[in-house]
């Protein structure tokens, strides 16, 4: 009788111990862990969309200097399963240093367009079949630079952000405003200077009217490469 009661007590203690261990486990042993969703990219020339700095990049986005793209050849995983995509930066000259191919001009091309070109070049000399994975990781937010010289507090270059409508007056204010001897009514904006493919244009702006009297309709929106020239007064007093 004592042996029978001892067996019952031992069985109950074993069941209670298992219940406590199971409740302390940090995961559910009955369900396998769920894998994270795969990150989509450009595979064989098909582009995906990704939110980049507040706007949507898609198959129509054209690469620019400063952009960062992710590049991978799927067939390389056969030789090295740990192979990861490589981040490539578009240089100031609009080129990418692509593995196997060297420097390739990519500016003003979309990711799908570039993927197809790289695929063709790789299959010509290096691969029987190449599956190119190419996607935009980071878009350069700077569209270019404008330059201010002459009678302002802080002359020099200013970054022009992508999709930014910066006017000449705003750029002067960003440069700290006019210096003491500035001729505010004879400000010039030179567009299409040396190195540009566009025809040279000169805009004469009266910043006294624009900034001090509120005639902002006479101001102009700047473009990358514009020069703002603020001359000195002939008589400084």
């Amino acid at each position: 009788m004592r042996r029978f009661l001892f067996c019952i007590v031992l069985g109950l203690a074993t069941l209670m111990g298992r219940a406590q261990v199971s409740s302390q486990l940090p995961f559910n042993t009955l369900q396998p862990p769920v894998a994270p969703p795969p990150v989509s990219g450009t595979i064989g020339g098909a582009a995906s969309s990704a939110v980049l700095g507040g706007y949507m990049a898609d198959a129509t986005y054209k690469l620019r200097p400063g952009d960062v793209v992710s590049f991978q050849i799927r067939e390389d995983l056969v030789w090295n399963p740990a192979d990861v995509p490589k981040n490539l930066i578009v240089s100031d000259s609009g080129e990418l240093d692509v593995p196997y191919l060297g420097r390739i001009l990519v500016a003003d091309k979309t990711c799908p367009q570039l993927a197809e070109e790289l695929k063709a070049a790789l299959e010509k000399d290096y691969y029987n079949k190449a599956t190119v994975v190419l996607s935009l990781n980071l878009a350069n937010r700077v569209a270019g630079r404008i330059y201010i010289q002459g009678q302002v507090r802080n002359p020099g270059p200013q970054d022009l952000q992508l999709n930014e409508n910066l006017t000449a007056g705003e750029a002067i204010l960003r440069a700290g405003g006019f210096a003491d001897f500035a001729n505010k009514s004879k400000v010039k904006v030179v567009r299409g200077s040396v190195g540009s493919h566009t025809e040279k244009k000169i805009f004469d702006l009266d910043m006294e009217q624009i900034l001090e009297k509120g005639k902002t309709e006479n101001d102009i929106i700047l473009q990358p490469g514009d020069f703002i020239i603020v001359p000195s007064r002939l008589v400084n007093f």
Side-chain angles (χ1 to χ4, degrees), residues 220-237:
I220 65 170
I221 295 176
L222 299 174
Q223 296 180 6
D226 282 354
F227 276 83
I228 301 175
I229 303 172
V230 181
S232 299
R233 296 196 303 264
L234 295 178
V235 179
N236 300 320
F237 57 85

Side-chain angles (χ1 to χ4, degrees), residues 138-232:
L138 180 64
N140 183 13
R141 296 299 305 273
V142 178
R145 284 184 169 183
I146 57 98
Y147 304 86
I148 303 181
Q149 63 183 45
Q151 288 296 310
V152 291
R153 301 290 181 187
N154 300 300
Q158 293 183 13
D159 288 339
L160 188 63
Q161 301 298 316
L162 194 66
N163 299 326
E164 181 182 17
N165 293 324
L166 181 70
T167 66
E170 290 169 342
I172 290 172
L173 294 176
R174 186 183 288 181
F178 291 106
D180 294 336
F181 304 120
N183 190 340
K184 303 176 185 178
S185 63
K186 298 294 183 180
V187 175
K188 294 182 183 296
V189 174
V190 180
R191 179 168 297 164
S193 54
V194 178
S196 174
H197 299 291
T198 60
E199 183 180 354
K200 185 176 181 179
K201 295 181 180 179
I202 298 178
F203 302 89
D204 294 312
L205 301 176
D206 186 345
M207 283 298 167
E208 279 187 327
Q209 296 290 322
I210 294 171
L211 294 179
E212 296 179 9
K213 297 185 179 180
K215 295 186 177 181
T216 55
E217 67 274 8
N218 295 332
D219 208 347
I220 65 170
I221 295 176
L222 299 174
Q223 296 180 6
D226 282 354
F227 276 83
I228 301 175
I229 303 172
V230 181
S232 299

Side-chain angles (χ1 to χ4, degrees), residues 1 37 42 44 49 51-52 54 90 96 133 166 182 186-187 201 225 233:
M1 183 66 179
T42 305
S49 297
V51 177
L52 298 167
V90 182
L96 274 183
V133 182
L166 181 70
K186 298 294 183 180
V187 175
K201 295 181 180 179
R233 296 196 303 264

